[in-house]
Amino acid sequence: MKKSLITALAVLTLFSCKNETEKTAENSKTEIAKFSSDVEESSVIYEVNIRQYSPEGTFKAFTKDIPQLKELGVKIIWVMPIFPISQTKRKATGGDDSKFASEMPKEEQHKYLGSYYAVSDFKKVNPEFGTIEDFRNLVKTAHENGIYVILDWVPNHTGWDHVWIKEHPEYYSKNTKGEIIDPVNPETGKSWGWSDVADLNYDNQGLRSAMTADMLHWIKNENIDGFRCDVASNVPLDFWQQAIPQLRKQKNIFMLAEAWEPELLKEGLFDMAYGWEAHHTMNRIAQGKNTVKDWDKFMAEDAKKYEANDILMNFVDNHDENSWNGTIKGRLGKGEEAMTALSYVMPGMPLIYSGNEYGLNHSLKFFEKDSIPKTKGKDWGLRAKLGKLKAENPALNGGKNKAKYTRIKTDDDANILAFVREKDGKKVVYMANFSNNPINTKIGITGEFTNYMTGKIMGLNEKQVYTILPFQYFILTNN
């Protein structure tokens, strides 16, 4: 009898513990409204570089700051790759003369952490960032604050330590000697120089199944809300046609392609692509290499290239631009604030990269530990104000049911950019002088508006001449 009683109590205890574990897992999946196209209309997307976000470089350090991202209008967090990084061929420097950590002095090798995009396991987290429980808390905290989380996914290649290298070498591209190779530029047939990663071969159906299964793992088990897919256009389109419908069966997800190709936005595949041409045009105008006429040309070409319900991501910065092409201030100079504002008020979805909100003004190291500034100032205030307008005014809707964009005529269409966004009776007017000289011009619109940045009333009359100072801009709303 005594033995039976002990056994019964043991079973009861185990059952109770199991129930508590299940409850804990259940509670970790904090509910958030299903992702919908309505979210895309008014969202700001935030790219977080966990390694460089804080001195600690951990999930925990970022998670505590998530609630304040709501002040910036952030509705989607894109987390740069969180996976373990391969040790084999771990990079220490980039560029044409890139070196591996193993080529550096032995006493320095430990500081070279490698590229986030050289993944050794798609189903684990980088221990430098913390544990899977820490990541789960990040997702939970974001969801509690009404923010969706998408993972940076690397489908084009793996690191050289990935288990597939040994167990499934058939998943990889090989040269005539049968050796696995790093990725090749399909246009030139030459290596991209990404020597720290091994190229995947999507002719192999086993690879397609394995890659899709690993993506499903994060949706099913870790409650994420979608993916930003690295170099998405280098992966065959028919893989996305196979995989994305399977992902969407599990959950309403948001898919961002690091690509510009319009076909990736068709058939319910990706929700958003990169607005590369807008980015490059903004840089060139600010640097005096292009004029506003080039902006008009780009907008007209995009209108032909993309369908009305296609969404592009607008950015003045991201991890690649910051680390390899210089800071926002370095690229945009005096035009920094006007171009940042433009990225919010033009059609599409604006991006904030870690540190932009704090006035980041140095190129973050890519393969080593670094950190962003964390003092709120005018950059935080600017993005908070722009984020609020984006979130609340339908005239800035930039999704599948975006607000209309109409160019406004001026006397100097080479240097003055003026346009109106309009939807549901609401209007937002943007005007900017993208030159180094004051310009006197008429603006082809009449009406009473509020200067959104100052709160002052501003009447416009198309017959009146206005003086706009160098790189001065206005955002006006109708009452």
Side-chain angles (χ1 to χ4, degrees):
M1 282 293 291
K2 187 176 179 182
K3 185 176 180 182
S4 298
L5 181 61
I6 292 171
T7 303
L9 286 170
V11 171
L12 184 62
T13 302
L14 285 170
F15 182 74
S16 174
C17 289
K18 184 181 178 185
N19 275 352
E20 285 303 312
T21 303
E22 288 174 351
K23 284 178 185 176
T24 303
E26 194 74 22
N27 290 340
S28 71
K29 293 195 173 185
T30 304
E31 287 302 317
I32 186 172
K34 287 183 179 180
F35 192 90
S36 71
S37 57
D38 289 342
V39 178
E40 298 163 344
E41 298 294 349
S42 56
S43 286
V44 173
I45 184 169
Y46 184 93
E47 178 189 7
V48 61
N49 185 332
I50 295 293
R51 178 191 289 170
Q52 315 299 32
Y53 182 82
S54 63
E56 301 91 334
T58 61
F59 295 130
K60 285 183 178 179
F62 172 65
T63 298
K64 66 182 175 61
D65 284 353
I66 287 176
Q68 67 183 5
L69 292 181
K70 290 189 295 184
E71 295 176 31
L72 304 176
V74 173
K75 294 183 182 178
I76 301 169
I77 294 173
W78 146 26
V79 189
M80 284 179 67
I82 64 171
F83 316 106
I85 295 170
S86 285
Q87 297 300 302
T88 303
K89 297 189 179 182
R90 187 172 82 253
K91 271 200 173 182
T93 62
D96 294 335
D97 60 344
S98 65
K99 290 182 172 59
F100 297 122
S102 58
E103 299 177 86
M104 307 304 281
K106 208 157 196 175
E107 64 275 12
E108 294 181 11
Q109 290 179 10
H110 69 280
K111 74 177 185 178
Y112 299 110
L113 306 175
S115 167
Y116 320 85
Y117 295 87
V119 177
S120 66
D121 193 324
F122 285 118
K123 292 170 77 172
K124 293 181 180 177
V125 297
N126 187 339
E128 293 171 30
F129 300 161
T131 65
I132 188 62
E133 288 75 19
D134 294 334
F135 177 72
R136 287 169 182 162
N137 190 48
L138 184 158
V139 175
K140 179 175 180 287
T141 302
H143 287 176
E144 288 172 344
N145 284 276
I147 299 174
Y148 300 89
V149 177
I150 66 172
L151 274 187
D152 202 329
W153 197 257
V154 192
N156 185 59
H157 45 259
T158 74
W160 292 93
D161 290 348
H162 198 285
V163 66
W164 290 345
I165 293 274
K166 289 182 178 179
E167 295 182 3
H168 292 284
E170 70 276 13
Y171 288 180
Y172 293 86
S173 302
K174 297 173 184 175
N175 60 21
T176 53
K177 298 178 183 177
E179 301 165 327
I180 295 172
I181 59 173
D182 55 75
V184 170
N185 183 334
E187 294 181 5
T188 65
K190 296 180 180 178
S191 168
W192 287 104
W194 304 339
S195 51
D196 57 339
V197 293
D199 190 60
L200 289 166
N201 177 10
Y202 277 85
D203 290 340
N204 187 283
Q205 295 302 314
L207 166 64
R208 292 181 177 227
S209 297
M211 185 64 72
T212 305
D214 282 4
M215 296 178 84
L216 282 167
H217 163 80
W218 289 94
I219 296 173
K220 289 179 178 180
N221 302 320
E222 304 304 340
N223 207 22
I224 65 151
D225 305 296
F227 299 94
R228 175 267 187 189
C229 293
D230 187 62
V231 204
S233 57
N234 280 16
V235 175
L237 180 65
D238 64 356
F239 168 71
W240 298 123
Q241 291 168 333
Q242 290 174 350
I244 294 177
Q246 294 183 56
L247 305 181
R248 293 198 188 277
K249 281 181 184 177
Q250 295 298 319
K251 189 177 184 180
N252 288 9
I253 57 172
F254 177 76
M255 296 293 291
L256 166 61
E258 189 204 13
W260 61 266
E261 287 80 357
E263 57 267 25
L264 289 167
L265 297 168
K266 299 184 188 304
E267 303 173 17
L269 298 180
F270 287 90
D271 296 281
M272 187 165 76
Y274 270 48
W276 279 116
E277 195 53 39
H279 173 74
H280 294 317
T281 304
M282 285 192 278
N283 282 341
R284 290 192 293 260
I285 291 173
Q287 294 162 13
K289 298 173 183 176
N290 275 178
T291 71
V292 171
K293 289 183 177 179
D294 295 291
W295 177 268
D296 292 335
K297 182 181 177 184
F298 136 70
M299 287 294 290
E301 289 175 351
D302 260 19
K304 293 178 182 176
K305 188 186 301 179
Y306 297 100
E307 295 179 6
N309 63 353
D310 287 343
I311 310 171
L312 297 180
M313 184 174 72
N314 307 324
F315 54 96
V316 290
D317 202 16
N318 62 37
H319 66 274
D320 282 321
E321 294 301 297
N322 171 268
S323 289
W324 306 115
N325 296 324
T327 64
I328 299 176
K329 287 178 173 62
R331 285 181 280 104
L332 298 178
K334 295 176 183 177
E336 177 193 358
E337 188 171 325
M339 290 300 188
T340 298
L342 176 57
S343 73
Y344 278 75
V345 299
M346 67 180 288
M349 186 186 297
L351 170 75
I352 299 172
Y353 174 51
S354 290
N356 292 160
E357 71 273 36
Y358 295 111
L360 173 66
N361 193 27
H362 77 274
S363 293
L364 293 169
K365 295 173 183 175
F366 200 82
F367 304 109
E368 299 175 55
K369 183 71 183 82
D370 204 342
S371 195
I372 66 172
K374 294 297 282 290
T375 303
K376 291 181 182 178
K378 73 180 185 73
D379 292 277
W380 183 281
L382 173 66
R383 284 169 176 79
K385 200 163 183 67
L386 292 171
K388 180 177 173 63
L389 185 65
K390 176 72 176 174
E392 296 178 357
N393 196 316
L396 293 190
N397 281 181
K400 292 177 172 59
N401 188 25
K402 59 179 66 67
K404 186 179 179 183
Y405 170 100
T406 306
R407 184 72 158 86
I408 298 172
K409 182 70 178 170
T410 73
D411 292 338
D412 189 345
D413 287 340
N415 293 301
I416 302 292
L417 176 60
F419 61 82
V420 59
R421 301 287 309 285
E422 188 171 2
K423 185 178 177 181
D424 298 340
K426 296 292 185 180
K427 293 181 181 180
V428 172
V429 175
Y430 176 86
M431 302 184 298
N433 173 7
F434 288 117
S435 79
N436 289 304
N437 303 302
I439 292 177
N440 298 318
T441 183
K442 292 179 181 177
I443 309 291
I445 187 171
T446 297
E448 188 174 276
F449 297 88
T450 299
N451 184 327
Y452 177 71
M453 304 307 284
T454 66
K456 294 180 180 179
I457 300 298
M458 184 172 177
L460 291 181
N461 188 316
E462 55 189 305
K463 295 180 180 179
Q464 187 174 335
V465 175
Y466 300 88
T467 299
I468 306 180
L469 301 176
F471 294 99
Q472 185 178 23
Y473 73 96
F474 298 89
I475 297 175
L476 311 177
T477 61
N478 65 337
N479 297 323

